[in-house]
Each structure stands twice: as structure tokens, then as C-alpha cells.
Amino acid sequence: MLFQFNAQNQKKFEELLSHYPTKVAALLPTLWLVQEQEGNISFEAMEVVANLLDVSPAHVYSVATFYTMYHLKPVGKHHLQVCRTLSCALMGSENLLEHFKNKLKINEGEVTPDGRFSLCAVECLASCGTAPAMMVNETYHENLNVQKVDQILKELK
Amino acid sequence: MNAPKKQLVLTNRVGIPDSHTLAVYQKTGGYSKALSKTFSQTPDGVIEEVKNSGLRGRGGAGFACGMKWSFVPKNTGKPTYLCVNADESEPGTFKDRLLLEKDPHQLIEGIIIACYAINCHTAYIYIRGEFDLSYKRIHKAIEEAYAQGILGKNVLGKNYALNVYIHRGAGAYICGEETALLESIEEGKGQPRIKPPFPAVVGLFGCPTIINNVETLSALPFILSEGATAYKKWGTEKSPGTKLFSVSGHIQKPGVYELPLGYSLKKLIEENCGGMTAGKKLKAVIPGGSSVPILTAKDVETMMLDYESAIAHGSMLGSGGVIVMNEDVDMVWALKNLTRFYAHESCGQCTPCREGTGWVDKILYRMLHEGGTNEDLNLLTDISHNMMGKTICVLADAMAMPVLSYIKKFPDDFRNHFRRTGSSPRAKVI
């Protein structure tokens, strides 16, 4: 079945269009809306978005792949994004990332077989004063250490 | 996040419970004196006040704010736009996040003042995709402001219309570059534009546009309500006012500190931040976000936190992201961490940057894991010189400057990674 917005998101989409003098300017927020509804952004959805905004599917693809936060493939129920940039690295984020890999038995960019967790390393989350930090979906977790992340994993069902 | 120790211009509400709500903002003097002073004078009068305050852009470049506003042409028949740069992604910087989370109404009041000054009726807040709490707080604050008639068709009954929209980024450092930010809104892919024309003349949707950082705009309510002279009480002659410094790394008390410009970097580290952790010695400091040249412990002795002193010490004040490193840090490892960042974040538009960031990162990887040679240092220097000033935006420079400064200031760290004579010839490039 072709992708389409549910009634609530269709309304949100129309509201978004009113924010800009051109249709294409609503591309980033429209892709966010697709991801909010579907969990990830499929090629089919990109084609639908292209039609909605009067641009080519190639243009939508070039934008969706330019950014790191749009998921082109499904991610885990809990998407772990571990900061690896300097301030976090100084405070031990490399060890943390290794710990996740060993514990979840997956590499960066992979999902656990049960679909619960996916893991990736990300660049600076602007959480340098509370390093090391990570995001689980959209929630920040800061001042981490191995014990703390084990506890977090345990609590994420 | 630690609350700033000194309360001056920007962070006065940070410690107050529910500081992000309209009720607290109004109770503490918000949307009152600054706006009545703004609307009681001409837009040019507001620009003049901001010029007099000497406020410089706090995003990194330090360009005079009032001066930038005065570049907006009048009577073009086109709308003028304000874009708020809330795409804070410079490694080591987390000050705008604090302002967005703790005092979103101060930002909105700053937006109203700026828009009035440049005759703008539509503002976009470009917020980085990762900032979920910031997004929620600013979204809620905008809703509250519309409901109270602080935003909308008739701002506070002053016969002035202003709409503010939020545009969420989706994870790309380059979108903090002002023309990339415009592209990201207009077309989607954040690839910087050639300047000139400057955005003040040809910006968003081909119209005059001002792009200001969150911290710059957040200083406006104080400047308008208390006056330029009160603002200039702090800081130095050329760098007036206060600035937020995000301090991270091997120090006792990391966090955001609001300080008068011209404050001693050594004092910030030793007194405000309580010194180094674990009794270690200071080795290096990045004073203004990862893109600026690095300082040695000796440089730190004399450097003051203002734009001029930073330049005199061979670095820059940038975004005020202070990363402190102790004696155990291998500067080749630290640099390699950053070159990976820039290689990952290069937008790919200009060859010197796309190729240069990648090659520098690979050479450093090899040096770190398989050993390097003196020839590698020459090559890194050569590549860096061929990147600087040769691209559309300064991302290439933002990597080349650290590379050159790390090699110059910490040559021994690089020599420690040289292969011993007789070891295997040049290893494979990964």
C-alpha cells in the first residue's frame, strides 16, 4: 500500500505548508512527520512526499540521505546514540561504545534480533559538560558510566 | 547541567524553578521594559542602541550585531526574514542549549526586538534535530506568547505583526553555517552558498535576511531595557558585555559560565571550574570550540577570554566552547577524533574539503595505529594549506587550523608516533 499521512498528520502537514512561501521549504518537517508516523522513511514514502511538494523523488532522496537523523531503515525500539566527539571521548565514550557492542552483540548501525535495540555512534550532542552522553530515541542520558548504562538498558523494556 | 556561578545578563533566570514558563518570565521583568523601550523608538533607534552596546555575534565569528542589521536594504518591496541559529553543534559548545531549555522567552523577546529593528514580520528558529527538550520548551513558549498577544497579528497592541516558526534540523553540523542554514530551509540539503551576495541582501527565498545566534538575541532584552552603557560596564573596550563559556573535559566543575569578556582563562579553569581532576597537570586547552587553534598550558597563563586576546595567542574565541585536556592526553589521538568529525560533517560540495578532510583523517589513523613518519607531518601541513581559503565555507579551515596548530604546539606527541627505522615500509592506506 502506498504511504499516506493519517488524518492527524495530514492536518499537521497542511499547517506546515502555511509556514513557508514555497512548498519545497516544508521538506525537512515533512520528512520528520513521515518518520514520526512510520518509524522510518521508505522509498515509497519519499515518492509520495515528492508528489506532495512538487519536487523530484531524487531531490527528496538527496535530502533524506544528507542528514543523520532520518532513518532509511527501521531502527530498534530503543535507538541508542552514543556521542563519540572529543569532550565525550576524553571522558570515556570509546569504552562505553565497546561495552554496548559486547553487551548487545551488535555493531554500530545494527539492530538486535529481537528489535529492541539499535546502536550508533553520533557526533557532538552539545552535552560536553555532562560527558559522556548518549540519546535513547530523543531522550538525553548524561554523566554516563558502565554501571549507569547497564541500569538504563535494564529499564528499557 | 551546572548553573552558572555569576549572574549577569543572560543567565539570571537559569536557577529559578520553571524559568522556562511565561509566568516566571513575566514575574521577573520579561516582556515589559525592553519591549516598551523598543516600540517607543524608531527601528533605526534600536539599531543604534545595539551598535552602541558593541554586542558582537556569539555564534563564532564575532561580527558586530548592530552593524550586520544595518546592512539590510530598505524599501526593496520584498519581505525581510530573521533566522535564529539554534543549530548548536560545534564540539565543546552547549550554551545555546542552556538558554533554549531554561529561558526560551528571553530568546523570543530578543527575536521581537531584532525583528522590529530590521522590519521583519517572519522569523524562523532553526533548531538542531537532537534538541528535543529545547524544541519542546521553545514550542511551548511560542504557544504561550501567541496566546497572550505577544506574538501574532498585533504584537502587544503595537500594530506590529510577527510570526515565529520553528524549523527542525535533522543532524548535520554544516547547517550551523549561515548560508547552509538558509539552503536547509529553502531546498533541504544544507550546502553553503558563495558569498557575496551576503544574506543581509539576498538571503532566505531571495529576500534580505539576518541570521543571529541564540546567545546574541538573548542579550537584546537586557541591552534594550538597561541601555547600551549598562551592557558595556562588562567586558573590554573592543569586546564589551558578557559571554557564555561552555567548559568541558578534565576539570572539576564543567558547565556553562557567564563571564565578562576579558576574563582570565586561567582563572576560569582554576577558580570557577575548581581546577583539574585527579590532581593531573593541564596540557592543552581548546578555547572556542573544536574549530579553533589549540593552546598550550603556557598560553593559558596569559590568555584573556576576549576576541582580541584570543587572536594574539594564535587562536580564536569562536563559540566559547572551552575543552580542557590533562597531561595524559595524546594530542594525535585528540586531533584524530576531531578530523573524523570534520570528514563526517563535510557537505561534500568543494573538493579541497571533501577530499582534504578524508585524507587528513586517514593519515592520522595510520599514524595512530601503524606509526607515521616526518613525511606525514609535511603532508598534513601541505594538505591543510591547500584547504584553507579555497572552499565556499570555512569548514575546511575549521579543520586545517587545528591540524596546523596541533603539529606546531605539540610536535613531540606526533614524533612519539613515528615508526622506528627499519620497520615496515609505508603501510596500507585504509
Side-chain angles (χ1 to χ4, degrees):
Chain A
M1 209 184 96
L2 266 183
F3 164 81
Q4 65 179 59
F5 282 126
N6 59 34
Q8 193 196 352
N9 284 342
Q10 180 63 31
K11 245 175 126 181
K12 279 193 193 167
F13 170 69
E14 281 156 21
E15 157 73 19
L16 281 175
L17 287 179
S18 75
H19 294 183
Y20 309 96
T22 65
K23 274 185 168 181
V24 59
L27 181 48
L28 255 63
T30 305
L31 289 173
W32 273 119
L33 207 54
V34 174
Q35 182 156 304
E36 208 179 290
Q37 181 176 314
E38 303 289 305
N40 64 297
I41 303 169
S42 65
F43 291 125
E44 291 73 20
M46 288 185 209
E47 281 187 30
V48 173
V49 169
N51 276 327
L52 288 172
L53 300 177
D54 292 336
V55 289
S56 68
H59 182 83
V60 177
Y61 180 77
S62 76
V63 173
T65 52
F66 186 81
Y67 295 92
T68 54
M69 295 186 75
Y70 293 133
H71 307 313
L72 305 187
K73 293 185 295 185
V75 292
K77 185 179 168 198
H78 306 292
H79 186 48
L80 311 174
Q81 302 145 83
V82 184
C83 179
R84 62 175 171 180
T85 318
L86 189 55
S87 295
C88 278
L90 288 170
M91 305 307 281
S93 68
E94 287 176 343
N95 291 341
L96 222 51
L97 197 57
E98 282 310 304
H99 179 72
F100 277 122
K101 286 184 194 172
N102 293 332
K103 184 139 186 162
L104 300 171
K105 300 189 176 58
I106 51 172
N107 266 316
E108 291 167 38
E110 293 178 352
V111 189
T112 53
D114 61 2
R116 259 179 81 203
F117 295 106
S118 50
L119 179 66
C120 71
V122 294
E123 300 298 350
C124 188
L125 290 176
S127 194
C128 322
T130 42
M134 69 166 176
M135 284 170 78
V136 181
N137 299 337
E138 64 282 341
T139 309
Y140 273 70
H141 295 268
E142 303 174 289
N143 291 314
L144 297 173
N145 53 43
V146 169
Q147 292 78 13
K148 222 167 154 181
V149 300
D150 280 347
Q151 188 58 33
I152 292 167
L153 284 185
K154 219 189 271 173
E155 284 162 13
L156 295 171
K157 295 287 174 231
Chain B
M1 217 173 263
N2 284 1
K5 295 291 169 282
K6 290 212 173 187
Q7 308 216 324
L8 302 160
V9 174
L10 297 156
T11 53
N12 293 332
R13 287 182 198 85
V14 166
I16 303 174
D18 296 324
S19 60
H20 58 281
T21 60
L22 180 60
V24 171
Y25 189 66
Q26 285 180 317
K27 214 190 290 171
T28 48
Y31 293 129
S32 166
K33 196 170 159 196
L35 288 188
S36 55
K37 279 207 178 172
T38 300
F39 286 113
S40 69
Q41 53 186 321
T42 61
D44 282 344
V46 176
I47 295 181
E48 218 34 55
E49 188 74 37
V50 173
K51 269 189 184 166
N52 287 340
S53 77
L55 175 66
R56 296 170 66 164
R58 302 291 192 232
F63 193 82
C65 177
M67 177 80 87
K68 195 191 229 185
W69 290 357
S70 67
F71 294 153
V72 174
K74 291 195 169 75
N75 307 318
T76 55
K78 293 177 179 174
T80 301
Y81 291 107
L82 174 77
C83 289
V84 181
N85 192 341
D87 192 51
E88 181 173 59
S89 344
E90 173 78 5
T93 316
F94 44 100
K95 64 186 175 71
D96 294 341
R97 189 180 148 207
L98 180 85
L99 293 173
L100 290 161
E101 288 180 2
K102 299 290 184 190
D103 207 346
H105 282 289
Q106 179 174 253
L107 173 62
I108 293 172
E109 188 167 9
I111 291 172
I112 297 170
I113 295 164
C115 286
Y116 178 76
I118 59 169
N119 192 24
C120 157
H121 300 280
T122 310
Y124 294 100
I125 301 175
Y126 190 101
I127 187 165
R128 74 175 287 196
E130 289 87 344
F131 281 3
D132 189 62
L133 181 60
S134 302
Y135 173 81
K136 284 177 179 149
R137 292 258 164 102
I138 194 82
H139 189 269
K140 178 77 183 152
I142 289 172
E143 273 183 2
E144 287 179 316
Y146 270 107
Q148 293 268 321
I150 295 162
L151 291 174
K153 283 182 191 141
N154 188 3
V155 173
L156 293 168
K158 303 287 181 191
N159 207 16
Y160 184 81
L162 175 59
N163 284 313
V164 177
Y165 303 113
I166 308 178
H167 191 92
R168 264 183 89 193
Y173 168 71
I174 192 60
C175 291
E177 197 279 340
E178 60 176 11
T179 60
L181 185 152
L182 299 178
E183 276 294 311
S184 178
I185 298 177
E186 256 185 67
E187 298 284 336
K189 201 156 58 158
Q191 290 188 318
R193 298 173 182 170
I194 291 174
K195 292 189 272 195
F198 289 93
V201 182
V202 183
L204 193 64
F205 307 114
C207 302
T209 303
I210 288 295
I211 299 119
N212 280 148
N213 177 260
V214 169
E215 186 186 343
T216 315
L217 292 165
S218 295
L220 296 175
F222 179 91
I223 291 170
L224 266 292
S225 83
E226 306 306 313
T229 316
Y231 186 71
K232 282 198 288 197
K233 236 177 25 200
W234 290 294
T236 67
E237 195 191 334
K238 286 184 177 166
S239 303
T242 67
K243 160 123 196 65
L244 299 184
F245 292 93
S246 322
V247 195
S248 66
H250 297 134
I251 34 151
Q252 300 279 3
K253 290 185 280 183
V256 176
Y257 294 84
E258 180 176 5
L259 299 168
L261 284 158
Y263 197 83
S264 153
L265 174 57
K266 184 180 158 83
K267 208 167 144 190
L268 169 63
I269 294 170
E270 289 184 358
E271 293 177 23
N272 302 62
C273 297
M276 306 296 289
T277 48
K280 298 277 183 184
K281 273 195 209 134
L282 176 71
K283 178 166 181 178
V285 174
I286 299 173
S290 66
S291 304
V292 308
I294 199 158
L295 303 172
T296 60
K298 190 164 166 269
D299 297 328
V300 172
E301 293 288 318
T302 50
M303 157 127 174
M304 299 297 156
L305 293 165
D306 59 68
Y307 297 96
E308 290 69 33
S309 179
I311 286 169
H313 285 78
S315 188
M316 291 188 297
L317 203 60
S319 63
V322 181
I323 306 178
V324 181
M325 293 179 255
N326 72 21
E327 57 191 321
D328 296 339
V329 178
D330 170 8
M331 299 315 291
V332 180
W333 170 87
L335 181 61
K336 167 69 185 73
N337 183 286
L338 294 177
T339 58
R340 188 216 50 241
F341 173 83
Y342 290 101
H344 182 262
E345 299 298 340
S346 172
C347 84
Q349 198 176 200
C350 309
T351 312
C353 176
R354 182 186 62 238
E355 299 300 315
T357 51
W359 279 103
V360 166
D361 189 49
K362 284 171 183 165
I363 292 165
L364 284 169
Y365 178 93
R366 184 177 61 203
M367 192 172 258
L368 205 55
H369 295 276
E370 297 165 17
T373 63
N374 198 39
E375 198 187 315
D376 286 331
L377 293 190
N378 295 336
L379 193 55
L380 289 170
T381 306
D382 188 49
I383 295 173
S384 299
H385 284 304
N386 279 300
M387 291 172 71
M388 286 170 73
K390 295 187 167 57
T391 50
I392 292 173
C393 83
V394 293
L395 191 139
D397 305 62
M399 191 195 74
M401 286 187 299
V403 172
L404 293 172
S405 73
Y406 284 54
I407 294 174
K408 188 177 157 202
K409 302 234 164 148
F410 299 97
D412 289 343
D413 286 41
F414 288 84
R415 278 187 207 111
N416 285 342
H417 286 279
F418 283 1
R419 282 196 298 272
R420 290 202 192 92
T421 336
S423 68
S424 66
R426 175 156 283 184
K428 68 178 189 308
V429 175
I430 50 107

